[in-house]
């Protein structure tokens, strides 16, 4: 009995349907859940919100000049 590829002879049908069992098909995997906002973007938004709240709390207070700064002198 011969071994290797010569041991089998291919026979293709002249009539009828040819079926192949070894077909490649797509395999669906679970969808990955991605965050709508990144962590760094959320941190920046939190910092911006905190800054806006701090400004909104103290709108009446005018910035005080430091003691070392020169103050304008009234002109006579």
């Amino acid at each position: 009995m011969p071994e290797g590829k010569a041991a089998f002879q291919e026979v293709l049908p002249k009539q009828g349907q040819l079926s192949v069992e070894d077909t490649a098909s797509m395999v669906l995997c679970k969808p990955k859940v991605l965050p709508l906002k990144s962590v760094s973007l959320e941190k920046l938004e939190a910092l911006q919100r905190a800054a806006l709240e701090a400004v909104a709390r103290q709108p009446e207070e005018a910035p005080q000049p430091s003691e070392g700064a020169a103050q304008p002198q009234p002109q006579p």
Side-chain angles (χ1 to χ4, degrees):
M1 182 171 209
E3 294 188 24
K5 290 186 178 181
F8 298 103
Q9 181 182 1
E10 290 184 14
V11 177
L12 296 175
K14 304 266 189 227
Q15 290 180 322
Q17 192 173 14
L18 178 64
S19 65
V20 179
E21 295 177 20
D22 214 37
T23 58
S25 63
M26 294 186 68
V27 177
L28 298 176
C29 61
K30 288 176 59 178
K32 295 183 168 77
V33 178
L34 298 174
L36 295 177
K37 293 184 179 182
S38 67
V39 175
S40 57
L41 180 61
E42 288 179 359
K43 286 180 183 178
L44 286 172
E45 287 178 343
L47 287 172
Q48 185 177 14
R49 250 184 266 117
L52 288 174
E53 288 174 3
V55 169
R57 279 189 232 138
Q58 303 170 4
E60 296 85 25
E61 292 182 21
Q64 300 292 330
S66 61
E67 294 178 20
Q71 295 184 3
Q73 299 292 329
Q75 302 230 349

